[in-house]
Amino acid sequence: MTTDFFAPLVDDPYAYGAIAAANAMSDVYAMGGEVVLGLNIAAFPDDLPHETIAAILRGGADKVTEAGGIVAGGHTIIDAEPKFGLAVMGLVQPKAVLTKAGARPGDVLFLSKAIGTGIVTTAAKQDAAAPEHLAAAIESMTRLNRHASHLAREAGAHALTDITGFSLLGHGYEMAAASGVALRFEASRVPLLPAALEYAARGIATGGAGRNRAYLAGKVRLADNISEALEHVLFDPQTSGGLLFPVAPERAAEVEARFASAGETVWRVGEVMEGEGVEVLQ
């Protein structure tokens, strides 16, 4: 069982509903499970047009249907600021559960989606984002982690986590701590959403990135030659981000082949080492 909900990230109500649903279901996929049903969690102003509410709910329901589950009801309250998400139930074979623990020294780290959703959607809220850049972020946020989870498991992933509000580095640190190892990321290999770095260089950032940076002080070590803009993206909180998973080095080529054959994106972004914490090289 898992739950997640939040205020609108984008203006389009259908996209908002779909993003919120994909994000809520992601934790099921991050443990190797399959979604069975969802319950809507909604708060809407009493003057919000009914067609807008219907579009939000339709976006969420369509995404749950795509996941192979059903929306079995939910609960709505009146609130000045719209909020939407789901409580989700999933099923997993107990012996096949994947957690953040399990990464082993020598493993190769893979990431299934580009990062930067927080910066791009913040730029859009400031009317500073090009439509095509926002569209790329929406496509990423509405893409389910379902098949990527299947592929990671088939390729022998030792651990699994989705990248959400604590950023790539924050969730990487959680995996390192749970596994009793250190993670090393190569910043030049980390995939970025179109214009995320450009917007960060303009000073567009989220409050969540600042909180992530403060929390991870002393836990994450960044090379001196990493630009401030790139740091902002690495600490950027993600919505419905991708999956981060380690596999044995001899299976790295298999990961790339499986994802390519399935038409799914994946990037080799680092490695697992002896030690603790997270290190980021250029």
Side-chain angles (χ1 to χ4, degrees), residues 9 24 26 48 61 78 93 96 103 113 125 152 171 206 248 267 274:
L9 294 172
S26 186
L48 192 66
I78 296 173
Q93 165 57 243
K113 286 186 184 181
K125 290 177 182 178
H171 290 289
T206 64
W267 291 266
E274 299 277 0

PDB file of all heavy atoms in Angstrom, residues 9 24 26 48 61 78 93 96 103 113 125 152 171 206 248 267 274:
ATOM      1  N   LEU A   9       1.003  20.685 -10.887  1.00  0.00           N
ATOM      2  CA  LEU A   9       2.321  21.059 -11.407  1.00  0.00           C
ATOM      3  C   LEU A   9       2.203  21.720 -12.772  1.00  0.00           C
ATOM      4  O   LEU A   9       3.107  22.434 -13.192  1.00  0.00           O
ATOM      5  CB  LEU A   9       3.192  19.811 -11.554  1.00  0.00           C
ATOM      6  CG  LEU A   9       3.604  19.064 -10.290  1.00  0.00           C
ATOM      7  CD1 LEU A   9       4.290  17.764 -10.671  1.00  0.00           C
ATOM      8  CD2 LEU A   9       4.542  19.920  -9.462  1.00  0.00           C
ATOM      9  N   ALA A  24       1.914   8.325  -7.977  1.00  0.00           N
ATOM     10  CA  ALA A  24       1.432   7.548  -6.835  1.00  0.00           C
ATOM     11  C   ALA A  24       1.686   6.055  -7.027  1.00  0.00           C
ATOM     12  O   ALA A  24       1.988   5.330  -6.075  1.00  0.00           O
ATOM     13  CB  ALA A  24      -0.056   7.802  -6.621  1.00  0.00           C
ATOM     14  N   SER A  26       4.128   4.728  -8.681  1.00  0.00           N
ATOM     15  CA  SER A  26       5.535   4.432  -8.902  1.00  0.00           C
ATOM     16  C   SER A  26       6.156   3.625  -7.774  1.00  0.00           C
ATOM     17  O   SER A  26       7.021   2.765  -8.009  1.00  0.00           O
ATOM     18  CB  SER A  26       6.319   5.728  -9.111  1.00  0.00           C
ATOM     19  OG  SER A  26       7.657   5.460  -9.461  1.00  0.00           O
ATOM     20  N   LEU A  48     -14.443  25.334  -8.693  1.00  0.00           N
ATOM     21  CA  LEU A  48     -13.685  24.781  -9.810  1.00  0.00           C
ATOM     22  C   LEU A  48     -14.674  24.160 -10.798  1.00  0.00           C
ATOM     23  O   LEU A  48     -15.537  23.379 -10.409  1.00  0.00           O
ATOM     24  CB  LEU A  48     -12.709  23.719  -9.318  1.00  0.00           C
ATOM     25  CG  LEU A  48     -11.648  23.244 -10.319  1.00  0.00           C
ATOM     26  CD1 LEU A  48     -10.677  24.376 -10.663  1.00  0.00           C
ATOM     27  CD2 LEU A  48     -10.871  22.052  -9.741  1.00  0.00           C
ATOM     28  N   ALA A  61      -7.654   8.116 -13.890  1.00  0.00           N
ATOM     29  CA  ALA A  61      -8.266   6.813 -14.170  1.00  0.00           C
ATOM     30  C   ALA A  61      -7.649   6.156 -15.397  1.00  0.00           C
ATOM     31  O   ALA A  61      -7.413   4.940 -15.416  1.00  0.00           O
ATOM     32  CB  ALA A  61      -9.776   6.978 -14.358  1.00  0.00           C
ATOM     33  N   ILE A  78     -13.630  19.764  -0.012  1.00  0.00           N
ATOM     34  CA  ILE A  78     -13.517  21.117  -0.557  1.00  0.00           C
ATOM     35  C   ILE A  78     -12.286  21.774   0.046  1.00  0.00           C
ATOM     36  O   ILE A  78     -12.083  21.745   1.260  1.00  0.00           O
ATOM     37  CB  ILE A  78     -14.780  21.937  -0.243  1.00  0.00           C
ATOM     38  CG1 ILE A  78     -15.999  21.324  -0.943  1.00  0.00           C
ATOM     39  CG2 ILE A  78     -14.596  23.387  -0.677  1.00  0.00           C
ATOM     40  CD1 ILE A  78     -17.318  21.975  -0.564  1.00  0.00           C
ATOM     41  N   GLN A  93       5.178 -10.866  -5.429  1.00  0.00           N
ATOM     42  CA  GLN A  93       5.619 -12.147  -4.894  1.00  0.00           C
ATOM     43  C   GLN A  93       6.601 -11.862  -3.747  1.00  0.00           C
ATOM     44  O   GLN A  93       7.614 -11.186  -3.945  1.00  0.00           O
ATOM     45  CB  GLN A  93       6.304 -12.954  -5.995  1.00  0.00           C
ATOM     46  CG  GLN A  93       7.114 -14.140  -5.529  1.00  0.00           C
ATOM     47  CD  GLN A  93       6.325 -15.138  -4.709  1.00  0.00           C
ATOM     48  OE1 GLN A  93       6.641 -15.338  -3.535  1.00  0.00           O
ATOM     49  NE2 GLN A  93       5.297 -15.732  -5.290  1.00  0.00           N
ATOM     50  N   ALA A  96      10.207 -11.992  -4.240  1.00  0.00           N
ATOM     51  CA  ALA A  96      10.724 -11.171  -5.343  1.00  0.00           C
ATOM     52  C   ALA A  96      10.722  -9.680  -5.018  1.00  0.00           C
ATOM     53  O   ALA A  96      10.984  -8.862  -5.890  1.00  0.00           O
ATOM     54  CB  ALA A  96       9.898 -11.427  -6.594  1.00  0.00           C
ATOM     55  N   ALA A 103      22.388  -3.271  -3.008  1.00  0.00           N
ATOM     56  CA  ALA A 103      23.468  -2.863  -3.918  1.00  0.00           C
ATOM     57  C   ALA A 103      24.798  -3.425  -3.421  1.00  0.00           C
ATOM     58  O   ALA A 103      25.071  -3.436  -2.213  1.00  0.00           O
ATOM     59  CB  ALA A 103      23.534  -1.339  -4.002  1.00  0.00           C
ATOM     60  N   LYS A 113      14.989   7.309 -16.412  1.00  0.00           N
ATOM     61  CA  LYS A 113      14.403   8.550 -16.925  1.00  0.00           C
ATOM     62  C   LYS A 113      15.357   9.708 -16.703  1.00  0.00           C
ATOM     63  O   LYS A 113      16.139   9.717 -15.732  1.00  0.00           O
ATOM     64  CB  LYS A 113      13.085   8.890 -16.214  1.00  0.00           C
ATOM     65  CG  LYS A 113      11.876   8.059 -16.580  1.00  0.00           C
ATOM     66  CD  LYS A 113      10.627   8.637 -15.889  1.00  0.00           C
ATOM     67  CE  LYS A 113       9.388   7.802 -16.120  1.00  0.00           C
ATOM     68  NZ  LYS A 113       8.190   8.417 -15.462  1.00  0.00           N
ATOM     69  N   LYS A 125       5.739  27.591 -14.517  1.00  0.00           N
ATOM     70  CA  LYS A 125       4.910  28.405 -13.621  1.00  0.00           C
ATOM     71  C   LYS A 125       5.287  29.884 -13.706  1.00  0.00           C
ATOM     72  O   LYS A 125       4.460  30.758 -13.444  1.00  0.00           O
ATOM     73  CB  LYS A 125       5.060  27.912 -12.176  1.00  0.00           C
ATOM     74  CG  LYS A 125       4.420  26.555 -11.917  1.00  0.00           C
ATOM     75  CD  LYS A 125       4.683  26.098 -10.490  1.00  0.00           C
ATOM     76  CE  LYS A 125       4.095  24.713 -10.232  1.00  0.00           C
ATOM     77  NZ  LYS A 125       4.389  24.235  -8.863  1.00  0.00           N
ATOM     78  N   ALA A 152      14.215  -4.280 -15.352  1.00  0.00           N
ATOM     79  CA  ALA A 152      15.256  -4.254 -14.323  1.00  0.00           C
ATOM     80  C   ALA A 152      15.291  -5.576 -13.564  1.00  0.00           C
ATOM     81  O   ALA A 152      16.358  -6.134 -13.286  1.00  0.00           O
ATOM     82  CB  ALA A 152      15.017  -3.086 -13.368  1.00  0.00           C
ATOM     83  N   HIS A 171      17.834  10.073  -3.176  1.00  0.00           N
ATOM     84  CA  HIS A 171      17.425   8.675  -3.244  1.00  0.00           C
ATOM     85  C   HIS A 171      18.627   7.757  -3.446  1.00  0.00           C
ATOM     86  O   HIS A 171      18.626   6.606  -2.983  1.00  0.00           O
ATOM     87  CB  HIS A 171      16.375   8.484  -4.337  1.00  0.00           C
ATOM     88  CG  HIS A 171      15.062   9.109  -3.989  1.00  0.00           C
ATOM     89  ND1 HIS A 171      14.235   8.602  -3.026  1.00  0.00           N
ATOM     90  CD2 HIS A 171      14.449  10.221  -4.461  1.00  0.00           C
ATOM     91  CE1 HIS A 171      13.152   9.368  -2.917  1.00  0.00           C
ATOM     92  NE2 HIS A 171      13.265  10.357  -3.779  1.00  0.00           N
ATOM     93  N   THR A 206      14.009  25.154  -7.332  1.00  0.00           N
ATOM     94  CA  THR A 206      12.890  24.862  -6.432  1.00  0.00           C
ATOM     95  C   THR A 206      13.342  24.943  -4.984  1.00  0.00           C
ATOM     96  O   THR A 206      14.516  24.747  -4.662  1.00  0.00           O
ATOM     97  CB  THR A 206      12.348  23.450  -6.689  1.00  0.00           C
ATOM     98  OG1 THR A 206      13.371  22.507  -6.379  1.00  0.00           O
ATOM     99  CG2 THR A 206      11.924  23.281  -8.139  1.00  0.00           C
ATOM    100  N   ALA A 248      24.915  -6.465 -11.505  1.00  0.00           N
ATOM    101  CA  ALA A 248      26.283  -6.963 -11.598  1.00  0.00           C
ATOM    102  C   ALA A 248      26.910  -6.491 -12.903  1.00  0.00           C
ATOM    103  O   ALA A 248      26.233  -6.414 -13.942  1.00  0.00           O
ATOM    104  CB  ALA A 248      26.275  -8.483 -11.529  1.00  0.00           C
ATOM    105  N   TRP A 267      20.038   4.690 -18.864  1.00  0.00           N
ATOM    106  CA  TRP A 267      21.377   5.257 -18.946  1.00  0.00           C
ATOM    107  C   TRP A 267      22.236   4.671 -17.839  1.00  0.00           C
ATOM    108  O   TRP A 267      21.797   4.540 -16.683  1.00  0.00           O
ATOM    109  CB  TRP A 267      21.351   6.779 -18.785  1.00  0.00           C
ATOM    110  CG  TRP A 267      20.720   7.526 -19.907  1.00  0.00           C
ATOM    111  CD1 TRP A 267      21.334   8.087 -20.989  1.00  0.00           C
ATOM    112  CD2 TRP A 267      19.311   7.827 -20.045  1.00  0.00           C
ATOM    113  NE1 TRP A 267      20.414   8.709 -21.801  1.00  0.00           N
ATOM    114  CE2 TRP A 267      19.163   8.575 -21.251  1.00  0.00           C
ATOM    115  CE3 TRP A 267      18.174   7.546 -19.290  1.00  0.00           C
ATOM    116  CZ2 TRP A 267      17.927   9.033 -21.689  1.00  0.00           C
ATOM    117  CZ3 TRP A 267      16.934   7.993 -19.722  1.00  0.00           C
ATOM    118  CH2 TRP A 267      16.820   8.727 -20.915  1.00  0.00           C
ATOM    119  N   GLU A 274      32.829   0.162  -2.269  1.00  0.00           N
ATOM    120  CA  GLU A 274      32.960   0.040  -0.819  1.00  0.00           C
ATOM    121  C   GLU A 274      32.933   1.444  -0.218  1.00  0.00           C
ATOM    122  O   GLU A 274      33.380   2.407  -0.840  1.00  0.00           O
ATOM    123  CB  GLU A 274      34.289  -0.637  -0.458  1.00  0.00           C
ATOM    124  CG  GLU A 274      34.457  -2.050  -0.993  1.00  0.00           C
ATOM    125  CD  GLU A 274      33.794  -3.084  -0.095  1.00  0.00           C
ATOM    126  OE1 GLU A 274      33.200  -2.692   0.936  1.00  0.00           O
ATOM    127  OE2 GLU A 274      33.859  -4.281  -0.452  1.00  0.00           O
TER     128      GLU A 274
END
